[in-house]
Amino acid sequence: MTGIPVDPVATYRVQLTPEFTFAEVAGILQHLCELGISHLYLSPILAAMPGSQHGYDWTPPARISEVLGGPEGFHLLREHARALGIGIIVDIVPNHVGVADPEHNPWWSDVLIHGLESPFAHYFDLDTAPTDGLINLPYLGSSDDLADLRVDDHGRLVLGEIALPTAPGTWAPGDDPLAVHQLQHYRLVPYDSRRVGYRRFLAVNGLAALRQEVPEVYDATHAWLRELVVDDLIDGVRVDHVDGLHDPIGYLRRLRADLGDQRLIYIEKGLGTDEDLDPEMPVDGTTGYDQLQLIESRFTAPSGAIELEETYRAIAGVAGDGDHLAARGRITRQSVLVDQFPDRIQRVTDLLTPTAPEVPAHAVQKAASLLICSAAGRPDYPSQRASVLRVIADLADEYPSLAQGFAVLDAAFRDPTSAPDAIARIGEAVAAVYGKGVEDVGFHRTARLVSSQELGCNPLVPAINRIDFIDRAVRRADSWPRAMIALSTHDTKRSEDVRARIAVIAQTPQRWRILVDRLWRLQPPPHGLICYFLLQNLVGVWPDDGRPDAVLARRLAEYARKAMREGGLVSSWTEVNDDAEADVQEWLAAMQRGPAADLLSEFVAAIAPAGRTEALSRKALSLLLPGVGDIYQGTQWWDDSLTDPDNRRPVDYTRSLDHPKARVIRTCLAVRRRNPAAFGGGSGYLPLPLRGETIGHVVAFARGRAGKAEVVVVAVRLALMFTDPDIRAKTHLVLPSGTWVDAFTGNAFSGTVDAETLLRDRALAVLEPLEATAPEPARGPERASRRAPGRSARPAAHRR
């Protein structure tokens, strides 16, 4: 090993592109060092499909991308990072491989040419038994599209942008394309076919699933990684879409054996609010969506969320509370399963019916469909067995006519060895249907408060109380002290700062209702729910000092188009409704000019300072709660990004670190480095006592070992109504014994201190024992706005 700390301080995620390669990353290492980052966290580094902007469509044979700089460029990056004490974590993609252009994937091309006789056929998760060995490719909008099929000069079957190789001797110049098609080992079928010949990542045709449970496939796709380990070129990995694998735990055990105990393994996996990571997983934790949810929900006003339900009901004509969202969520998942994943349920049915031939296949299929659309997480993990059996029993009570089908499922989950492949297929399907049906489609079909409609979050329960927050933080410190804490990623629907501002709406629901009513009278929306969804996002990105410029207007238009098609209410990716989209775009543009824009500017001016304050508090918690903070590229400054590709725009690293968020990051990470034992293995989360009438506006805790506080963190939440000094003075914090010094200001405190004395108009304080450190104060206290007149920046005298 290189001497890079095994316990990370913080990671920094970089999106590699053909324009931002290993060489460019090397150029920002000093910047990351100044932030206090311990580990650089890279998006996939393997060769991918031509023009790829993300690398998740990697192509075999697995080798470091020449476009990104090749092995030499990666080695050089490693040496530069090592010299600065920065480790490297790489993103790996075991679940799937890019197949959009077979010419650039020799494995897939060979399978298309030779069918099941290809030596690579068993690499892919094919389903050809029902089609006599033919591989169905769901590339058609309808069967009529075959009329456009042609054969090019290279003998490839071409349909639009798709070019497929043909078997030897199956074509000649002038041949009928349809006749050539009939001679291949594959068949082009409609996108909604119940028989798709290969498992895909979600429903993306260009990403084909691999069978990592086959040792030969694992070896072929991980030899490059083993070489990096042998050469000591990485310090850990992030595993993409682990729930898509046939046997996640088995895969991770092989991976841990290859990496050893001293390298980090993080997995991309969402967890339900009442779900814990399976302890059998030999990993350091998730990539942090569970903690994103924890922080997001703690900074959401519960009473305001309830009031916003009334506004949502009036706008959308449907309820938006937890019960109705749960019911609609299941309906949405059922729709997605039928429309986008009919092959998944058909495959599960094919595997389960032989275990109980006396049970009608339709009963098995319907029961399995309901389970797939009801399970909160992948149900085949050992720790989830009791939970899934309860879900099956509840569904059997709800649907007594399907009792036989649920009995088949109950038997299979009680004895997973009786139908292991079927159980794994159900697990894969649950992950796919939840990801697509809830996080993609569902999160674009509701809008009570869109800040809670985020990866890892649960809009059914948008807020969390103090007791549950403390319980989760304590358990995390005990079980997963190295797990990541994310606020923004390349997959989040909107950035941390956009969410922080939108969440403030729940602190002023009545003023929000007035604004919406006035905007709706000024510019009646063509579709109430969609426009209400877009309005909240518009508020989230609205400039502090003016109206959206042309660049932001284009970004918003692109976002609106994607949101409409993801939700599928008025338009979709497969059935575009140009007129409906144009109506919504016209309304969105009208919101950005004239009286509507004036109203929006006035509202944003009222809530933006609170949003900034809470964004700083959230950032600090992401770095100081149990776990390891992950900083997404560019979020050391204010970031108004929406969903991808908007959140993958180039970052301007020439900006100064003399910025409120950068100062919070630098100070918090400096505290972590000065007090490693307070945050490392064996450390704990210690809630601190609060007293007074307004304690709900503060999050206060300590980090340390053996019940002893070594660092104290105090952060403002629900900031909109916490600006008055008299109100802040009513919140009192009982500090642990001794004298404590604020790492931001150098002010010293002891005993019981009120929030006004401790914070003034700042978002947070991070305190260290006087005897343990003599920190150099950061340049300027962490605050979202300018210092109030008359306030001194000099360290204050010791206050009690």
Side-chain angles (χ1 to χ4, degrees):
M1 293 290 288
T2 62
I4 303 300
V6 174
D7 281 326
V9 175
T11 61
Y12 188 92
R13 170 72 179 209
V14 170
Q15 293 298 118
L16 296 165
T17 69
E19 296 75 38
F20 200 80
T21 67
F22 300 140
E24 281 73 31
V25 176
I28 67 168
L29 288 175
Q30 184 59 47
H31 174 95
L32 302 187
C33 194
E34 292 174 12
L35 280 175
I37 302 300
S38 65
H39 287 72
L40 176 65
Y41 167 25
L42 299 174
S43 63
I45 65 173
L46 297 184
M49 281 287 159
S52 176
Q53 292 292 311
H54 49 75
Y56 290 98
D57 52 352
W58 72 275
T59 57
R63 73 278 187 205
I64 295 178
S65 169
E66 293 294 340
V67 173
L68 299 180
E72 299 80 5
F74 184 76
H75 286 214
L76 189 60
L77 173 61
R78 172 61 161 180
E79 291 306 313
H80 284 310
R82 192 199 312 264
L84 293 172
I86 294 177
I88 292 181
I89 298 170
V90 297
D91 197 340
I92 63 173
V93 190
N95 179 72
H96 52 265
V97 68
V99 297
D101 184 352
E103 183 177 338
H104 293 278
N105 186 327
W107 296 353
W108 185 245
S109 180
D110 197 79
V111 170
L112 295 182
I113 292 171
H114 300 290
L116 299 185
E117 295 181 2
S118 167
F120 302 108
H122 67 292
Y123 280 34
F124 297 94
D125 194 0
L126 303 179
D127 184 23
T128 60
T131 54
D132 296 325
L134 295 175
I135 304 168
N136 281 352
L137 306 177
Y139 296 170
L140 304 178
S142 70
S143 297
D144 294 340
D145 291 346
L146 284 174
D148 297 324
L149 194 65
R150 63 185 179 86
V151 180
D152 69 7
D153 294 339
H154 302 286
R156 298 178 301 179
L157 282 170
V158 178
L159 183 68
E161 297 180 354
I162 300 169
L164 303 172
T166 53
T170 60
W171 76 283
D175 281 354
D176 179 4
L178 296 179
V180 174
H181 175 235
Q182 290 298 312
L183 297 175
Q184 304 312 310
H185 294 284
Y186 55 82
R187 291 291 182 272
L188 297 174
V189 298
Y191 70 93
D192 57 355
S193 173
R194 297 190 68 84
R195 296 291 185 185
V196 175
Y198 64 103
R199 184 165 63 86
R200 301 162 291 172
F201 168 70
L202 300 184
V204 181
N205 289 338
L207 299 174
L210 294 168
R211 298 180 64 208
Q212 292 293 348
E213 66 274 18
V214 177
E216 182 184 349
V217 177
Y218 179 90
D219 291 340
T221 55
H222 289 73
W224 70 279
L225 190 62
R226 289 169 171 160
E227 292 175 2
L228 295 187
V229 171
V230 169
D231 294 338
D232 196 22
L233 294 175
I234 61 168
D235 300 287
V237 299
R238 177 256 198 194
V239 182
D240 182 65
H241 194 50
V242 72
D243 275 347
L245 298 172
H246 186 272
D247 178 15
I249 293 178
Y251 167 81
L252 291 169
R253 286 172 177 162
R254 290 192 298 272
L255 184 65
R256 175 57 77 189
D258 281 345
L259 267 63
D261 293 334
Q262 297 303 304
R263 287 182 172 83
L264 300 160
I265 298 179
Y266 292 112
I267 56 174
E268 183 204 26
K269 176 176 171 54
L271 297 172
T273 53
D274 57 351
E275 179 186 1
D276 291 322
L277 190 60
D278 196 298
E280 292 194 24
M281 288 184 154
V283 301
D284 293 281
T286 71
T287 53
Y289 290 125
D290 47 316
Q291 292 302 103
L292 184 156
Q293 184 274 333
L294 181 66
I295 294 173
E296 189 67 45
S297 59
R298 191 62 186 136
F299 282 81
T300 299
S303 59
I306 294 172
E307 290 190 57
L308 289 175
E309 153 68 13
E310 297 301 319
T311 302
Y312 177 74
R313 188 191 297 267
I315 295 296
V318 294
D321 60 15
D323 291 339
H324 286 83
L325 281 175
R328 291 209 307 277
R330 184 193 291 184
I331 293 171
T332 300
R333 282 199 269 180
Q334 289 171 337
S335 174
V336 166
L337 178 62
V338 171
D339 294 342
Q340 301 190 37
F341 301 105
D343 55 310
R344 302 288 183 104
I345 189 58
Q346 187 62 56
R347 205 164 181 181
V348 168
T349 305
D350 293 345
L351 291 166
L352 279 177
T353 49
T355 68
E358 73 282 3
V359 178
H362 72 85
V364 174
Q365 184 175 91
K366 184 63 176 176
S369 298
L370 287 167
L371 175 60
I372 289 170
C373 297
S374 301
R378 180 161 174 159
D380 56 328
Y381 287 113
S383 62
Q384 294 300 304
R385 184 173 302 170
S387 175
V388 71
L389 290 173
R390 286 195 300 270
V391 172
I392 292 171
D394 291 343
L395 288 171
D397 290 340
E398 187 177 353
Y399 299 93
S401 63
L402 298 174
Q404 287 180 298
F406 287 116
V408 173
L409 290 172
D410 183 86
F413 276 97
R414 287 187 185 277
D415 179 15
T417 62
S418 64
D421 197 27
I423 295 301
R425 298 287 176 196
I426 290 174
E428 296 164 357
V430 167
V433 171
Y434 186 88
K436 191 65 183 175
V438 175
E439 295 175 340
D440 285 351
V441 177
F443 281 0
H444 292 90
R445 287 187 177 183
T446 189
R448 176 171 60 175
L449 182 65
V450 301
S451 54
S452 66
Q453 293 163 210
E454 187 53 84
L455 297 187
C457 293
N458 185 352
L460 280 67
V461 188
I464 188 172
N465 62 46
R466 181 173 183 266
I467 294 174
D468 290 341
F469 178 87
I470 291 170
D471 177 67
R472 284 180 57 181
V474 169
R475 287 191 288 115
R476 182 180 175 88
D478 291 341
S479 302
W480 302 102
R482 291 183 186 170
M484 281 187 180
I485 306 174
L487 287 182
S488 297
T489 75
H490 61 286
D491 283 329
T492 44
K493 307 299 182 184
R494 49 197 66 82
S495 76
E496 58 201 59
D497 299 331
V498 173
R499 292 198 313 274
R501 180 189 287 179
I502 293 172
V504 178
I505 291 173
Q507 298 174 43
T508 180
Q510 296 170 352
R511 183 169 184 170
W512 170 253
R513 177 63 183 267
I514 293 171
L515 171 69
V516 173
D517 288 345
R518 294 178 69 183
L519 290 173
W520 259 229
R521 288 194 298 270
L522 276 173
Q523 196 72 34
H527 191 288
L529 194 159
I530 292 172
C531 292
Y532 189 61
F533 172 92
L534 293 174
L535 178 64
Q536 293 178 57
N537 288 282
L538 182 60
V539 166
V541 301
W542 194 269
D544 291 352
D545 54 358
R547 301 180 182 185
D549 59 16
V551 173
L552 179 55
R554 284 195 299 271
R555 289 173 49 213
L556 285 164
E558 292 167 1
Y559 173 76
R561 183 178 301 108
K562 180 173 182 177
M564 282 187 278
R565 294 181 184 180
E566 289 285 2
L569 292 175
V570 299
S571 189
S572 70
W573 296 109
T574 54
E575 296 181 15
V576 175
N577 186 330
D578 291 325
D579 291 339
E581 289 188 7
D583 289 342
V584 172
Q585 294 286 10
E586 183 178 348
W587 177 88
L588 181 61
M591 289 293 103
Q592 301 170 56
R593 60 178 183 262
D598 293 337
L599 290 173
L600 280 166
S601 294
E602 181 183 357
F603 182 79
V604 168
I607 68 168
R612 296 292 201 212
T613 294
E614 295 193 29
L616 298 177
S617 292
R618 291 169 179 233
K619 180 59 81 175
L621 263 62
S622 76
L623 301 173
L624 299 175
L625 281 171
V628 176
D630 174 40
I631 300 167
Y632 184 64
Q633 61 177 30
T635 60
Q636 60 266 51
W637 302 285
W638 302 129
D639 178 31
D640 67 350
S641 295
L642 295 166
T643 195
D644 73 283
D646 193 62
N647 60 11
R648 304 186 193 193
R649 289 171 293 143
V651 176
D652 177 10
Y653 285 99
T654 65
R655 287 176 285 178
S656 171
L657 288 180
D658 185 15
H659 182 277
K661 283 187 76 178
R663 289 196 293 272
V664 166
I665 293 169
R666 297 175 73 180
T667 302
C668 289
L669 297 187
V671 169
R672 283 192 71 130
R673 289 182 180 276
R674 288 195 295 267
N675 302 273
F679 298 93
S683 64
Y685 174 95
L686 308 170
L688 295 180
L690 293 167
R691 299 172 183 169
E693 302 175 15
T694 55
I695 61 174
H697 291 282
V698 171
V699 177
F701 61 91
R703 299 298 311 278
R705 296 163 296 171
K708 179 182 178 182
E710 299 176 49
V711 172
V712 169
V713 180
V714 183
V716 172
R717 63 182 286 266
L718 310 186
L720 189 63
M721 300 302 175
F722 201 58
T723 58
D724 188 325
D726 292 337
I727 293 177
R728 291 196 296 268
K730 295 178 181 180
T731 297
H732 295 85
L733 169 68
V734 181
L735 292 172
S737 61
T739 300
W740 296 83
V741 178
D742 186 359
F744 289 99
T745 65
N747 293 346
F749 307 92
S750 63
T752 299
V753 60
D754 66 78
E756 168 63 12
T757 300
L758 178 65
L759 299 171
R760 299 296 184 186
D761 59 347
R762 294 182 295 274
L764 68 148
V766 180
L767 311 177
E768 300 170 274
L770 178 64
E771 64 274 13
T773 181
E776 181 178 335
R779 189 153 66 99
E782 78 308 349
R783 58 186 51 174
S785 57
R786 299 190 178 195
R787 180 180 305 278
R791 291 276 168 85
S792 172
R794 294 177 297 171
H798 176 207
R799 299 170 178 155
R800 291 186 182 274

